[in-house]
């Protein structure tokens, strides 16, 4: 299995105000079966950082991982320069992709992902007869 990874923009994580004794295990309201959380790390940011997973329809493979990566990089580069949306680290798998994204206060994640899907689909002009998403 081939794996494509990359990084456009990284988000510096500030640990200011995060005491050594603070952790999710010492949280007063721990819910059984829920993974521990680190709420103190992201307090200094007003914009939300999203981790997104997007799968192809019926887990159909991308025709070319390289072409999908190029489309993602072009879309992410345009996003930061024109819309103040930062695409962070990403991983492109044969039938899905993972990435971090953050925008300003007007950022709508659903619309941005819809545009990303459209951009990747346009990168495969020979796939018009098939639905990738």
């Amino acid at each position: 299995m081939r794996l494509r990874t990359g990084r456009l923009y990284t988000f510096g994580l500030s640990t200011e105000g995060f005491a050594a004794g603070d952790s999710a295990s010492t949280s007063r309201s721990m819910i059984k079966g829920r993974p521990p959380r680190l709420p103190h790390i992201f307090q200094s940011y007003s914009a939300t950082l999203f981790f997104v997973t997007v799968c192809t329809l019926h887990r159909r493979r991308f025709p070319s991982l390289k072409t999908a990566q190029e489309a993602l990089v072009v879309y992410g580069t345009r996003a930061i320069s024109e819309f103040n949306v930062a695409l962070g680290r990403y991983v492109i798998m044969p039938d899905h992709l993972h990435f971090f994204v953050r925008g300003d206060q007007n950022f709508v994640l659903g619309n941005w992902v819809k545009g990303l899907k459209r951009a990747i689909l346009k990168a495969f002009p020979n796939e018009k007869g098939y639905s990738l998403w």
Side-chain angles (χ1 to χ4, degrees), residues 23-27 30-31 33-39:
S23 72
S25 63
T26 60
S27 175
M30 181 78 168
I31 298 174
R34 178 178 286 177
R37 306 286 191 244
L38 298 174

Side-chain angles (χ1 to χ4, degrees), residues 15-77:
T15 56
E16 293 176 28
F18 185 70
D22 290 347
S23 72
S25 63
T26 60
S27 175
R28 284 175 273 160
S29 61
M30 181 78 168
I31 298 174
K32 185 177 180 178
R34 178 178 286 177
R37 306 286 191 244
L38 298 174
H40 300 289
I41 290 182
F42 297 106
Q43 283 184 342
S44 63
Y45 295 106
S46 59
T48 305
L49 174 66
F50 295 97
F51 176 74
V52 181
T53 300
V54 180
C55 298
T56 58
L57 182 65
H58 304 300
R59 301 300 290 254
R60 183 168 177 252
R61 292 176 162 275
F62 289 113
S64 166
L65 291 178
K66 183 178 180 183
T67 304
Q69 180 183 19
E70 290 169 357
L72 178 67
V73 169
V74 168
Y75 191 78
T77 303

Side-chain angles (χ1 to χ4, degrees), residues 120-131:
I120 292 175
L121 186 61
K122 284 177 70 175
F124 299 110
N126 297 334
E127 302 295 315
K128 294 273 188 207
Y130 301 102
S131 178

Side-chain angles (χ1 to χ4, degrees), residues 7-9 69-88 90 101 112 116 119:
R7 177 178 72 192
L8 281 178
Y9 303 97
Q69 180 183 19
E70 290 169 357
L72 178 67
V73 169
V74 168
Y75 191 78
T77 303
R78 184 171 174 239
I80 191 70
S81 64
E82 296 180 24
F83 303 105
N84 198 29
V85 175
L87 175 65
Y90 61 91
V101 65
W112 194 85
L116 174 63

